[in-house]
């Protein structure tokens, strides 16, 4: 791979989301939004989004937009239209709150009516009652090991940091040409129409440099997300991804080697006509999970079932203990510095301090 | 390329519709597409192979100067008015008057690391022009001195764009070329059309 950084870095920051624990509360999305994307041109940007699956996602039908690699060859991708992102709407707050019409007028989007948004098909899911099912999928930039975005930029404005593998953009070099956005198969880059530059998740690097975990991670009330360096054998991220191999990348076939991983969801088994659980008949079709997380789904599910069974029968399981996460701070050690104890300086862009959450 | 002297105010020359522009000789300049195989991004090379670049094949150019400034009046047909990023699916149209910064820079690659191209650059979503230096495709950097003035109008399927800058800067360069980026055809960075030969610029 080329010198721009399409090679594994010395160390790699990584995250694991447990889709059995994520409850779709969007605290992670909002923690990120309030910290990083409140400036002009960022109204519609949500660097972290949580969508219901099965569903069309955000931007709408992003999985059909191309990008990434096939056999190491860059694949054509397309940029989502503004309406496919949705969000960033103006509401009639003045009318509802200050015009005395609060009883007769309801809160609504002003101007062109939305067709889609960051969480549009929430809780729709799939399947027929009583075997209907859905789960939540939090998504952010995967800080890929082979970042298609980095390689696509003709100006060399993007790079992958050696010290932790975070994918960043030098905004002074970005001229808004958006090849990165086309090439990213996860559609996790936003164009800032006001500033004419592209923007994406920076994995809260100013926090990491102070040993503070990313805002989405610390914010999660469900203890559903772990953070650490992939090769740090003491990190739960290492244990879940490398040791137990139960945390899997989303769409590994896109060829960019993501560093955000997911514990596949196990819902109760299907109900039969007698309203009894049919053990061995998963409610979420395994083929569907394989279409998301690739061929390692079955072994991962088998490991999870085996370890669950062993604890049910009184045994001890390091895997189950890790997933339960008895001690919150253990989920992101050694990035467990309390942000409230740090004096934060303002970033040049005039962003608020990085101390929230 | 011949520039004629017109003793007129800057604002008059900057207006494409000023009747005095009729006095400046009009030259049709043929453009050709940049090569996709030599683009700096592997993504662009792979994805643009075989795609049509250079949607604008020819432009009409006039040039006139007063005591301080030299103005180029560019006109070309363009059925799509791309004055901004639209819904995110297009790019603003753009054009540039190119000068050899030093040596004999290759127009086909928008200069090289050793031989740069100085550009007076207009982009349809901006009121102000930009002075840029190119040392290869997509390498543009704003110059320390920003002096480019532009004005543009799109009407009845035609762009009429005036790009101006200090006449002494242009005189120093002696030669000139042109580039156009068609935003509806996804042209930006090293994907554009350009006039393949440097032309002598005669001022006087
Ligand atoms: S998810 Fe997209 S933007 Fe993030 S590193 Fe991977 S290719 Fe780049
Ligand atoms: S904060 Fe945690 S539980 Fe809530 S949506 Fe995000 S990952 Fe899921």
């Amino acid at each position: 791979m080329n010198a721009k950084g399409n090679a594994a870095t010395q160390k790699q920051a990584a995250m694991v989301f447990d889709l059995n624990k994520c409850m779709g509360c969007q605290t992670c999305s909002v923690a990120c939004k309030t910290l990083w994307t409140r400036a002009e041109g960022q109204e519609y940007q949500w660097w972290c989004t949580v969508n219901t699956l099965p569903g069309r996602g955000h931007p709408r039908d992003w999985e059909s937009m191309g990008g990434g690699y096939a056999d190491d060859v860059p694949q054509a991708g397309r940029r989502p239209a503004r309406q496919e992102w949705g969000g960033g709407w103006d509401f009639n707050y003045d009318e509802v709150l200050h015009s005395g019409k609060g009883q007769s007028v309801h809160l609504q989007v002003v101007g062109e009516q939305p067709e889609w948004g960051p969480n549009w098909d929430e809780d729709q899911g799939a399947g027929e009652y009583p075997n209907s099912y859905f789960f939540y999928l939090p998504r952010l930039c995967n800080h890929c090991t082979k970042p298609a975005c980095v390689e696509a930029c003709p100006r060399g404005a993007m790079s992958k940091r050696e010290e932790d593998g975070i994918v960043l953009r030098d905004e002074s070099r970005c001229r808004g040409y958006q090849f990165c956005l086309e090439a990213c198969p996860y559609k996790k880059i936003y164009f800032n129409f006001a500033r004419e530059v592209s923007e994406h998740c920076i994995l809260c690097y100013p926090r990491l440099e102070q040993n503070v975990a990313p805002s989405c991670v610390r914010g999660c009330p469900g203890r559903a997300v772990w953070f650490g360096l992939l090769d740090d054998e003491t990190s739960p991220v290492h244990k879940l991804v490398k040791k137990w191999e139960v945390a899997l990348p989303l769409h590994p076939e896109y060829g960019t080697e993501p560093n955000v991983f997911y514990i596949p969801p196990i819902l109760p088994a299907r109900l039969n006509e007698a309203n009894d659980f049919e053990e061995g008949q998963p409610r979420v079709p395994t083929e569907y999970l394989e279409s998301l997380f690739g061929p390692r789904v079955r072994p991962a599910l088998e490991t999870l079932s085996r370890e669950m069974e062993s604890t049910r029968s009184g045994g001890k399981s390091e895997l189950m203990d890790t997933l339960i996460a008895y001690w919150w701070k253990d989920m992101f050690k050694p990035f467990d510095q309390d942000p409230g104890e740090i004096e934060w300086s303002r970033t040049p862009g005039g962003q608020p301090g990085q101390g929230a959450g | 390329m011949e520039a004629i002297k017109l003793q007129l105010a800057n604002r008059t020359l900057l207006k494409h519709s000023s009747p005095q522009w009729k006095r400046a000789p009009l030259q049709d300049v043929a453009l050709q597409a940049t090569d996709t195989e030599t683009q700096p991004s592997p993504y662009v090379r792979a994805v643009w192979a075989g795609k049509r670049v250079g949607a604008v094949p020819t432009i009409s150019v006039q040039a006139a100067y007063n005591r301080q400034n030299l103005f180029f009046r560019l006109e070309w047909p363009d059925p799509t008015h791309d004055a901004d990023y639209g819904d995110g699916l297009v790019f603003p149209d753009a054009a540039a008057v190119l000068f050899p910064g030093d040596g004999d820079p290759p127009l086909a690659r928008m200069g090289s690391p050793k031989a740069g191209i100085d550009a007076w650059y207009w982009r349809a979503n901006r009121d102000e022009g930009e002075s840029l230096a190119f040392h290869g495709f997509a390498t543009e950097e704003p110059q320390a001195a920003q002096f480019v003035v532009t004005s543009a109008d799109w009407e009845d399927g035609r762009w009429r764009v005036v790009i101006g800058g200090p006449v002494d800067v242009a005189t120093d360069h002696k030669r000139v070329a042109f580039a156009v980026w068609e935003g509806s055809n996804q042209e930006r960075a090293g994907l554009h059309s350009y006039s393949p030969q440097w032309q002598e610029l005669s001022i006087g």
Side-chain angles (χ1 to χ4, degrees):
Chain A
M1 285 287 140
N2 74 10
K4 276 194 201 146
N6 277 7
T9 42
Q10 282 296 310
K11 290 181 180 164
Q12 179 62 58
M15 275 163 81
V16 174
F17 286 94
D18 188 346
L19 303 187
N20 297 285
K21 293 171 94 180
C22 174
M23 55 193 156
C25 68
Q26 307 282 355
T27 310
C28 50
S29 317
V30 173
C32 175
K33 181 82 192 156
T34 52
L35 188 53
W36 295 117
T37 57
R38 296 173 70 175
E40 196 199 349
Q42 297 182 315
E43 294 85 353
Y44 82 109
Q45 300 190 21
W46 292 86
W47 293 351
C48 173
T49 46
V50 184
N51 279 101
T52 300
L53 286 193
R56 298 171 72 182
H58 177 75
R60 184 177 60 206
D61 300 327
W62 64 273
E63 286 154 301
S64 66
M65 290 182 183
Y69 298 98
D71 297 325
D72 282 338
V73 178
Q75 300 296 296
R78 77 168 179 88
R79 304 187 306 279
R82 183 63 188 77
Q83 301 89 319
E84 291 171 305
W85 293 105
W89 304 296
D90 287 328
F91 287 84
N92 59 338
Y93 289 116
D94 261 351
E95 196 181 14
V96 173
L97 298 176
H98 306 299
S99 72
K101 293 194 224 155
Q103 296 303 315
S104 56
V105 176
H106 67 274
L107 193 67
Q108 59 187 10
V109 172
V110 181
E112 199 181 324
Q113 292 304 296
E115 300 162 12
W116 200 252
N119 188 25
W120 196 262
D121 49 0
E122 183 170 27
D123 292 1
Q124 290 180 15
E128 289 295 320
Y129 177 84
N131 285 310
S132 40
Y133 63 91
F134 64 77
F135 56 91
Y136 301 107
L137 181 76
R139 296 206 307 122
L140 55 146
C141 166
N142 294 293
H143 296 276
C144 303
T145 298
K146 287 166 62 181
C149 54
V150 172
E151 199 190 51
C153 178
R155 293 179 57 76
M158 295 186 69
S159 59
K160 190 166 171 66
R161 296 214 298 196
E162 193 57 39
E163 61 264 43
D164 50 18
I166 299 179
V167 171
L168 294 173
R169 176 181 300 93
D170 176 353
E171 285 198 351
S172 70
R173 294 204 55 71
C174 175
R175 279 183 67 92
Y177 295 144
Q178 301 172 62
F179 292 110
C180 56
L181 175 39
E182 282 180 24
C184 169
Y186 297 94
K187 298 302 156 208
K188 268 296 168 189
I189 298 180
Y190 291 79
F191 183 60
N192 185 317
F193 288 81
R195 294 176 52 229
E196 296 188 73
V197 292
S198 304
E199 299 183 311
H200 78 282
C201 160
I202 56 172
L203 210 57
C204 289
Y205 76 86
R207 291 167 61 109
L208 297 186
E209 288 169 0
Q210 307 279 349
N211 295 319
V212 178
S215 192
C216 54
V217 174
R218 276 188 75 98
C220 176
R223 297 197 184 185
V225 49
W226 294 263
F227 176 83
L229 295 172
L230 208 45
D231 289 317
D232 171 3
E233 290 184 7
T234 67
S235 164
V237 162
H238 175 89
K239 287 184 183 143
L240 295 170
V241 176
K242 299 264 181 177
K243 182 174 175 189
W244 291 94
E245 298 184 346
V246 290
L248 307 172
L250 177 62
H251 288 306
E253 74 278 14
Y254 291 172
T256 61
E257 297 180 22
N259 289 299
V260 174
F261 300 87
Y262 300 92
I263 312 280
I266 308 174
L267 270 61
R270 288 181 69 85
L271 288 170
N272 62 19
E273 273 161 24
N275 248 0
D276 290 327
F277 286 119
E278 290 259 350
E279 290 311 329
Q281 292 291 313
R283 188 170 308 190
V284 186
T286 307
E287 297 73 31
Y288 176 62
L289 293 178
E290 284 177 321
S291 76
L292 297 171
F293 304 110
R296 287 162 55 208
V297 162
R298 276 170 210 270
L301 291 175
E302 278 160 22
T303 304
L304 288 165
S305 312
R306 191 186 65 233
E307 293 298 307
M308 277 194 281
E309 209 40 63
S310 113
T311 49
R312 274 196 199 112
S313 50
K316 197 130 179 62
S317 163
E318 183 203 38
L319 174 58
M320 286 301 120
D321 285 353
T322 306
L323 289 173
I324 291 165
Y326 289 104
W327 301 103
W328 176 57
K329 287 189 170 186
D330 285 354
M331 298 183 77
F332 39 84
K333 255 184 186 161
F335 298 92
D336 56 349
Q337 169 68 46
D338 182 342
E341 290 169 1
I342 291 176
E343 284 270 336
W344 298 95
S345 57
R346 276 175 179 266
T347 58
Q351 294 282 4
Q354 292 89 357
Chain B
M1 175 99 250
E2 191 199 335
I4 62 155
K5 186 157 196 171
L6 290 175
Q7 293 288 20
L8 297 167
N10 285 332
R11 68 181 138 71
T12 310
L13 283 171
L14 194 53
K15 224 158 110 191
H16 73 82
S17 55
S18 294
Q20 291 90 339
W21 270 113
K22 295 217 168 64
R23 285 155 53 191
L26 191 139
Q27 189 191 330
D28 286 332
V29 177
L31 308 181
Q32 73 180 46
T34 51
D35 182 14
T36 54
E37 281 170 32
T38 50
Q39 297 289 327
S41 148
Y43 173 83
V44 176
R45 287 199 297 275
V47 169
W48 278 78
K51 278 199 199 166
R52 185 167 161 257
V53 189
V56 177
T58 169
I59 56 171
S60 308
V61 185
Q62 293 164 286
Y65 64 101
N66 59 19
R67 264 194 311 159
Q68 306 122 10
N69 290 309
L70 171 64
F71 297 87
F72 293 89
R73 184 185 182 282
L74 279 46
E75 183 170 339
W76 68 94
D78 181 355
T80 55
H81 178 217
D82 306 303
D84 53 30
Y85 296 88
D87 289 335
L89 300 182
V90 295
F91 289 88
D93 293 328
V97 179
L98 311 176
F99 302 100
D102 35 32
D104 193 18
L107 280 162
R109 308 186 72 143
M110 210 46 151
S112 70
K114 283 195 187 125
I117 288 177
D118 289 352
W120 294 1
Y121 178 81
W122 160 81
R123 186 141 103 181
N125 64 328
R126 294 181 182 172
D127 293 333
E128 279 166 16
E130 252 185 306
S131 313
L132 297 173
F134 285 84
H135 289 88
F137 285 140
T139 57
E140 62 271 36
E141 293 293 343
Q143 308 253 50
Q146 289 291 322
F147 45 64
V148 176
V149 289
T150 60
S151 81
D153 246 326
W154 184 92
E155 217 189 296
D156 298 335
R158 292 183 85 77
W159 271 118
R160 295 176 181 88
V161 178
V162 180
I163 303 177
V167 68
D168 50 339
V169 172
T171 314
D172 286 349
H173 286 303
K174 294 189 184 68
R175 290 180 297 164
V176 69
F178 303 92
V180 178
W181 288 260
E182 173 49 48
S184 69
N185 192 39
Q186 307 297 314
E187 292 179 20
R188 74 277 200 200
L191 303 166
H192 58 92
S193 52
Y194 67 102
S195 62
Q197 256 101 42
W198 290 109
Q199 297 192 30
E200 295 303 322
L201 178 63
S202 87
I203 300 177

